[in-house]
Amino acid sequence: MRAHVADHARRLAQIDPDLVPVTELLGDMASRGKRLRAAFCLAGARGAAGGPLPPGAADVASALELFHLAALVHDDVMDHSEQRRGLPTVHRRCAAEHRRAGWSGDADAYGEAVAILVGDFCLSWADDLVDHGFADHDRRTRMSGRAVWSQMRDETIGGQFLDVLGQVQQTTSAQRARVVLRFKSARYTVGHPLRLGGVLGGADEELMDSYERIGLTAGEAFQLRDDVLGVFGDPEVTGKPVVDDIREGKRTLLVVIASERANPVQRQHLDRHLGDPGLTEKDLLTVREILADTGAVDVVEDRIEELTLESLRIVDESTSDEITRLALRDLIERCAWRRA
């Protein structure tokens, strides 16, 4: 992935030197992250091929990471986030550059505009890599791979819209929260990467079904853990603030369960603080106490454990080889019990 970004960076630098800072920013962002989606894709490919990785696996895995990077950059703009992966978010970094240079116009608007373009670069380069990854395969494999990729894009962007919509609606249900987490993040974190790898490796219907079920269970566990870390995580470890989800009014399953179980006083506090742009540390502590006291945290933790055990069971019963099963077990446990 870094090599692909570097190739495009050289091309952009030839257009105009003013594009160099943007390419450097992209290179910096591309060098960070957990690479979970790439790892699931490679494990899925190896499990399907039954041996060495099939041609194009590294390209498709890299495409997933670029797609993910685009989603993060755009998501940070929508959520007005300050930090990502331990660094200022792209739009904040570009706004700060605007202020240092003393340029005219609105620094924040400039930062957001550049971040949108940075995300667009990542999306287009991801498509390039997918095409390259499937180029040496037969037409049926290419078509199948593009179909999975297209479905992933539609579901992820559609899920993101539902997440944005949920922040402005007064109420939401646990069912709606599950739909958002499934399509905004869960399926494109585990299920679609596994299936893309499966297509590359020539997986049969039985193995593809196993990959789909692993994706649904492990992917949901991943996102539920993300929701917990988004409120209770250590910013020094996660690389992002813990106020963002509450300040932006995210109707996660954790929040929805707490709202359903809250007494009138607790619900009043939740209504006041969810979506409050002026959220303070004291307000955050109040919300944390409510999430814990209503039992919402325990419910979500129990659900994570249940999903993880089910996902591991599916892996153990799958037709993939022992090396792949061990790799998938490790990845699933990283999804569920991570601290970042």
Side-chain angles (χ1 to χ4, degrees):
M1 180 177 70
R2 287 194 294 270
H4 188 69
V5 171
D7 286 343
H8 282 282
R10 284 190 290 271
R11 184 185 304 170
L12 289 170
Q14 291 171 359
I15 296 174
D16 194 291
D18 282 342
L19 283 163
V20 171
V22 176
T23 62
E24 291 176 344
L25 177 61
L26 277 161
D28 189 21
M29 293 291 293
S31 67
R32 299 167 183 267
K34 294 181 284 291
R35 303 285 195 265
L36 273 175
R37 291 155 189 83
F40 274 112
C41 178
L42 295 175
R46 192 198 184 286
L53 289 173
D59 285 331
V60 176
S62 297
L64 284 161
E65 290 302 319
L66 277 174
F67 179 84
H68 177 53
L69 184 54
L72 295 182
V73 172
H74 286 168
D75 190 58
D76 287 340
V77 173
M78 287 181 260
D79 289 348
H80 309 100
S81 299
E82 300 289 338
Q83 272 194 319
R84 172 72 67 177
R85 295 178 173 175
L87 295 172
T89 50
V90 171
H91 64 286
R92 294 301 188 211
R93 291 169 72 171
C94 294
E97 178 190 18
H98 182 289
R99 292 188 180 94
R100 283 194 303 269
W103 294 333
S104 62
D106 187 310
D108 290 332
Y110 170 80
E112 290 174 1
V114 175
I116 291 170
L117 294 172
V118 166
D120 289 347
F121 275 135
C122 293
L123 285 173
S124 62
W125 297 347
D127 270 0
D128 291 343
L129 277 169
V130 167
D131 283 342
H132 192 266
F134 282 99
D136 292 334
H137 292 263
D138 60 71
R139 185 177 185 277
R140 182 177 180 180
T141 300
R142 292 197 303 272
M143 295 295 290
S144 296
R146 288 300 308 191
V148 175
W149 182 259
S150 179
Q151 181 184 9
M152 180 190 73
R153 289 183 307 185
D154 287 349
E155 290 183 357
T156 305
I157 297 170
Q160 177 68 28
F161 168 76
L162 294 177
D163 186 41
V164 171
L165 182 64
Q167 292 169 214
V168 298
Q169 293 178 329
Q170 294 299 310
T171 59
T172 191
S173 65
Q175 175 60 29
R176 182 58 172 267
R178 288 191 177 96
V179 168
V180 173
L181 77 84
R182 172 173 291 189
F183 292 107
K184 178 193 172 184
S185 177
R187 281 173 63 82
Y188 103 89
T189 297
V190 182
H192 290 312
L194 277 173
R195 291 172 64 218
L196 283 165
V199 172
L200 283 166
D204 60 24
E205 188 174 336
E206 182 180 0
L207 184 57
M208 288 293 276
D209 179 68
S210 294
Y211 284 170
E212 176 72 14
R213 290 186 292 127
I214 293 167
L216 290 174
T217 49
E220 184 174 340
F222 171 90
Q223 185 55 44
L224 289 176
R225 173 59 61 208
D226 209 56
D227 293 342
V228 173
L229 291 173
V231 183
F232 294 95
D234 180 354
E236 294 296 320
V237 178
T238 63
K240 55 186 178 180
V242 291
V243 300
D244 283 5
D245 284 2
I246 303 302
R247 185 188 61 204
E248 294 302 316
K250 299 280 186 183
R251 262 57 178 185
T252 63
L253 188 62
L254 179 66
V255 168
V256 171
I257 292 171
S259 298
E260 291 175 346
R261 293 176 165 219
N263 61 40
V265 174
Q266 290 172 324
R267 185 164 296 159
Q268 187 178 39
H269 281 299
L270 287 176
D271 290 342
R272 181 185 308 136
H273 297 315
L274 281 173
D276 177 11
L279 188 78
T280 65
E281 287 293 328
K282 183 179 179 182
D283 297 336
L284 177 63
L285 288 175
T286 299
V287 173
R288 280 176 163 176
E289 289 175 2
I290 294 170
L291 296 177
D293 292 346
T294 57
V297 176
D298 290 337
V299 171
V300 170
E301 289 289 352
D302 288 346
R303 180 61 176 161
I304 291 172
E305 183 173 9
E306 176 188 346
L307 288 163
T308 303
L309 291 174
E310 175 64 11
S311 188
L312 293 173
R313 183 190 65 77
I314 297 168
V315 169
D316 289 342
E317 294 177 356
S318 72
T319 58
S320 57
D321 63 280
E322 181 64 19
I323 293 175
T324 300
R325 288 198 295 271
L326 288 172
L328 286 174
R329 289 184 65 89
D330 177 66
L331 287 170
I332 290 165
E333 290 179 352
R334 283 171 58 192
C335 284
W337 311 122
R338 62 199 168 92
R339 296 178 59 228

